[in-house]
Amino acid sequence: MTNRARWILAIAICGMVLGILSRISPFAILNLIFISWIGIEWFAFRLKTLRAYKLFSEAVREIDGNAAESLSLSLNEDYEVTLRVVFHRQLQGLRFFLSDLVPGGILSTDRFPAVVDLQHQFQVQWKYRITPQVTGQLALPGLQVTVTDAYGFFRHQQFVPLRQKLTLLPFVIQPQSTAERIKRDNLQLMTGHHRFRKPGISSELLGIREYQKGDPPRSIAWKATARTGKLMTCEYESEVPIRATILADVSGYQFWGRPGPAPFDAIASAVGSFTRLLIEDKDPVGLILASAANSTRLRPGLGQRQLVRVFQAMMNSHPGSLAATEFSIHELELFVWRSLYRIFPDLLEDRLNVVRVPMLLFGPRRRYEFRIRRQTSVALSWIFGESLARGYQLTYDDQAYRDYCNRFFDSYPSAVNEASLVADFGLGRQMKELTVRTIGDRLLESVARAQDNELFILVGDFHVRPHGFQHLLNAIRVARSRFHRVMVVTVPASNVAATIGDPTALQAFDYIQSINSREGLRHDASFQQLGALIAPLDDVKLMEKLAGELKILKTGGSRGASVVTRVGD
């Protein structure tokens, strides 16, 4: 019942009582007619809304003309969403307000609900635009519908499932290849196209030496043989593919700022762009994702399939798939409620998600915990297309509630706020140091497996305390001593701070950053002394610097001790 109906009903009741006390029968009867009319309208409204469990006979959502259940969208790109619904005829006479529930992390221009009066039309279509702001897996769960009568006396809110899964891919720059193309349309991969100053098969002459048994006769240098009187042979440079390995930091602190943009989104875009550039050069690309003491390795590969594998590995690196096991049941209830409130605040409205607390449940704390549990249980059942009875069951079944919370974190990884990370300032610093040490260990392992003339790209925040940083520095020193190229892409501090909305997380970040900021310049100087290229993540010329590293490797210019600067320990 709306405030309008309450005021009319209160005035009518007061008028009826006043007419009875004043013995003015016509006035009392007139107010009684008003009360009876409101009662009849309420009965008709309840009858229509209860009979129509499904409000729509058809509901379709199209994103840029595609209505598939699973779609892939790009970061920071605009997409047009078209919604078309057809109402049941038995709902004639009611008025509807329709809103599409768009999760946090996606900007939407659908600010006002669509209003439909079923006295004139039974079909409605409206359009709006969305812009993805985060990387990962999200979904559009359905529509929030508010039903009122023709006079606006009564209101009923209902959630209509219309699930559409979205894979939000990072924005990838399509760079121009640095490889020389002999044929424009050549499906066969070349064995190598980079010049390498080592004897092999190529068209570039490396030198002339005396003929040795087993040399091919066609390589004999006849002019040199005639001049020296000895049988001489030509030695050519080899052509090899340059294998690159990307080591990225995907720890929990890279996700600060969720469900909005976070540093991970920029890292994912950079990794995707690097992979795209290297694949265009027909070079195999490998990926290592490090998070604290854990790491995931993707073997080097070629072609578009490798690019897809890199995207999948980045999408699966979001924290939170096991977040439900890290909390007690009461902490989990509050954590999920806050996550739902950030992503789908409309699902927790009292008018839509009504909670009736049992009368025998005493104590304000117990009643508050029951309200939180019931609201989150019903919202989770709506999101995954379950019945309302399933939501009531989750209120009392702890194990099923944890399972649904895990499903929610898997489907909406941007909901994870890393509450355990910001609870203790030292924990965030410790996680960063573990990640830096892990990247150093993985770099050493990659160098041990590496062949000649390889490129290693490190992406992350490497400004930690001396013992953790020294471990990474030693790994880079080993890579450079074997004449490999190393490129360090750092995450700027300002980029991270701008994406943190949680005051506690911002305070933790400021504390960690104040400790490491003084050593930042010294760290960069140490990298440069070893011959590693330093570039910030937000550098507009980042791709040009990477292309420059590839050009150095093309000519084999990274080989030899003459190009390495000797530094002290």
Side-chain angles (χ1 to χ4, degrees):
M1 184 178 292
T2 62
N3 291 331
R4 179 187 301 177
R6 292 191 184 97
W7 278 105
I8 293 177
L9 187 61
I11 293 173
I13 291 174
C14 293
M16 184 182 68
V17 173
L18 183 62
I20 293 174
L21 295 178
S22 303
R23 296 183 179 181
I24 305 176
S25 300
F27 186 70
I29 293 173
L30 180 62
N31 285 279
L32 180 61
I33 292 173
F34 268 104
I35 296 174
S36 301
W37 174 56
I38 293 177
I40 293 172
E41 289 290 334
W42 175 83
F43 180 78
F45 177 76
R46 292 296 297 172
L47 183 63
K48 289 183 178 180
T49 54
L50 290 176
R51 286 175 58 191
Y53 176 72
K54 293 185 177 180
L55 301 178
F56 310 132
S57 60
E58 181 185 2
V60 179
R61 182 195 295 111
E62 296 181 352
I63 301 179
D64 275 359
N66 195 337
E69 294 183 359
S70 298
L71 295 175
S72 296
L73 307 180
S74 297
L75 216 63
N76 299 323
E77 294 287 331
D78 291 335
Y79 298 91
E80 184 179 71
V81 181
T82 303
L83 267 165
R84 183 177 67 258
V85 297
V86 180
F87 295 88
H88 288 288
R89 293 283 177 176
Q90 61 184 354
L91 299 176
Q92 185 175 5
L94 299 180
R95 182 172 296 167
F96 292 83
F97 300 85
L98 309 176
S99 297
D100 195 7
L101 295 179
V102 180
I106 299 180
L107 297 181
S108 171
T109 59
D110 190 22
R111 301 179 181 177
F112 304 101
V115 182
V116 184
D117 193 344
L118 292 193
Q119 293 179 352
H120 303 94
Q121 58 179 340
F122 289 90
Q123 180 177 348
V124 64
Q125 175 177 312
W126 75 97
K127 299 180 180 181
Y128 64 95
R129 304 192 70 84
I130 59 174
T131 305
Q133 297 290 309
V134 300
T135 304
Q137 301 282 348
L138 290 180
L140 300 173
L143 306 177
Q144 181 187 3
V145 183
T146 302
V147 188
T148 65
D149 61 318
Y151 304 100
F153 289 161
F154 309 102
R155 180 187 293 112
H156 169 74
Q157 287 190 326
Q158 185 171 336
F159 174 78
V160 180
L162 185 58
R163 185 174 174 82
Q164 202 165 14
K165 187 177 180 180
L166 304 178
T167 301
L168 307 181
L169 300 176
F171 178 76
V172 177
I173 301 175
Q174 185 173 1
Q176 184 178 2
S177 173
T178 60
E180 297 179 2
R181 302 197 177 189
I182 301 174
K183 293 170 60 178
R184 178 174 295 275
D185 299 322
N186 191 351
L187 298 180
Q188 183 178 4
L189 295 178
M190 294 183 292
T191 58
H193 62 274
H194 296 311
R195 294 172 53 195
F196 188 42
R197 293 179 181 176
K198 185 177 180 180
I201 300 175
S202 175
S203 59
E204 296 294 332
L205 182 64
L206 179 65
I208 299 176
R209 58 173 174 80
E210 291 188 10
Y211 181 83
Q212 297 178 1
K213 187 177 180 179
D215 289 341
R218 63 179 179 179
S219 63
I220 295 176
W222 297 108
K223 291 184 179 180
T225 300
R227 185 171 60 253
T228 60
K230 297 180 180 179
L231 194 60
M232 306 295 290
T233 184
C234 295
E235 195 173 49
Y236 297 93
E237 293 181 351
S238 63
E239 290 184 346
V240 296
I242 295 176
R243 189 168 66 177
T245 303
I246 303 174
L247 298 93
D249 178 4
V250 293
S251 298
Y253 52 82
Q254 302 294 0
F255 294 85
W256 279 350
R258 292 300 197 204
F264 172 79
D265 302 316
I267 292 176
S269 298
V271 171
S273 299
F274 295 159
T275 306
R276 187 72 175 269
L277 174 62
L278 295 166
I279 287 176
E280 288 288 331
D281 262 359
K282 303 295 187 300
D283 293 321
V285 185
L287 178 66
I288 297 176
L289 302 177
S291 176
N294 304 317
S295 63
T296 302
R297 179 184 294 273
L298 189 64
R299 296 179 61 183
L302 289 166
Q304 294 300 319
R305 288 186 179 182
Q306 183 69 3
L307 182 60
V308 173
R309 295 189 192 101
V310 169
F311 281 150
Q312 290 176 344
M314 296 297 294
M315 296 301 103
N316 295 332
S317 64
H318 288 269
S321 59
L322 299 177
T325 61
E326 299 176 1
F327 301 93
S328 66
I329 191 65
H330 297 301
E331 293 174 339
L332 182 62
E333 292 168 358
L334 187 60
F335 180 58
V336 174
W337 191 91
R338 289 175 176 173
S339 300
L340 285 169
Y341 185 77
R342 291 196 307 273
I343 297 180
F344 300 113
D346 296 332
L347 291 182
L348 301 179
E349 287 188 0
D350 292 335
R351 291 179 297 182
L352 178 63
N353 198 340
V354 182
V355 178
R356 294 180 175 86
V357 182
M359 296 182 60
L360 299 180
L361 194 63
F362 299 104
R365 181 179 181 84
R366 295 179 62 192
R367 296 175 71 88
Y368 172 75
E369 290 178 352
F370 180 84
R371 177 182 292 274
I372 293 296
R373 177 69 173 267
R374 173 60 64 83
Q375 280 196 327
T376 56
S377 299
V378 172
L380 289 174
S381 66
W382 284 343
I383 288 175
F384 295 110
E386 303 286 347
S387 62
L388 191 61
R390 183 59 174 170
Y392 293 154
Q393 180 184 358
L394 296 179
T395 307
Y396 303 98
D397 191 340
D398 291 346
Q399 185 59 43
Y401 183 77
R402 286 185 181 274
D403 294 340
Y404 269 72
C405 290
N406 272 328
R407 288 179 59 188
F408 172 68
F409 293 140
D410 288 336
S411 301
Y412 301 89
S414 63
V416 180
N417 194 33
E418 287 298 312
S420 60
L421 177 62
V422 302
D424 183 10
F425 292 158
L427 185 59
R429 187 182 183 188
Q430 181 181 2
M431 178 176 289
K432 180 183 290 188
E433 292 178 355
L434 284 175
T435 303
V436 171
R437 293 185 67 88
T438 301
I439 291 178
D441 293 337
R442 300 295 87 80
L443 177 59
L444 287 174
E445 295 175 2
S446 301
V447 170
R449 297 190 184 100
Q451 301 174 1
D452 293 326
N453 215 27
E454 292 199 7
L455 173 64
F456 296 96
I457 306 172
L458 281 61
V459 185
D461 186 0
F462 307 108
H463 299 316
V464 294
R465 288 184 293 186
H467 65 278
F469 176 76
Q470 191 65 34
H471 182 75
L472 177 64
L473 199 66
N474 291 335
I476 297 177
R477 180 179 286 109
V478 171
R480 292 294 296 136
S481 66
R482 298 189 180 184
F483 313 116
H484 299 294
R485 302 296 298 177
V486 179
M487 182 176 182
V488 181
V489 181
T490 60
V491 180
S494 58
N495 232 1
V496 179
T499 60
I500 298 178
D502 191 333
T504 306
L506 182 60
Q507 186 179 3
F509 172 78
D510 290 339
Y511 173 79
I512 297 172
Q513 199 63 24
S514 63
I515 297 176
N516 299 323
S517 59
R518 296 187 298 269
E519 301 178 349
L521 294 177
R522 186 175 62 85
H523 290 170
D524 292 345
S526 300
F527 288 141
Q528 291 175 349
Q529 286 178 350
L530 293 177
L533 179 65
I534 300 292
L537 188 62
D538 57 355
D539 189 355
V540 294
K541 296 184 178 180
L542 180 60
M543 297 303 297
E544 295 182 7
K545 293 181 179 179
L546 177 59
E549 294 293 287
L550 291 176
K551 289 180 180 179
I552 294 176
L553 291 177
K554 278 185 179 183
T555 59
S558 62
R559 293 200 57 79
S562 59
V563 297
V564 180
T565 304
R566 244 185 117 74
V567 296
D569 294 332

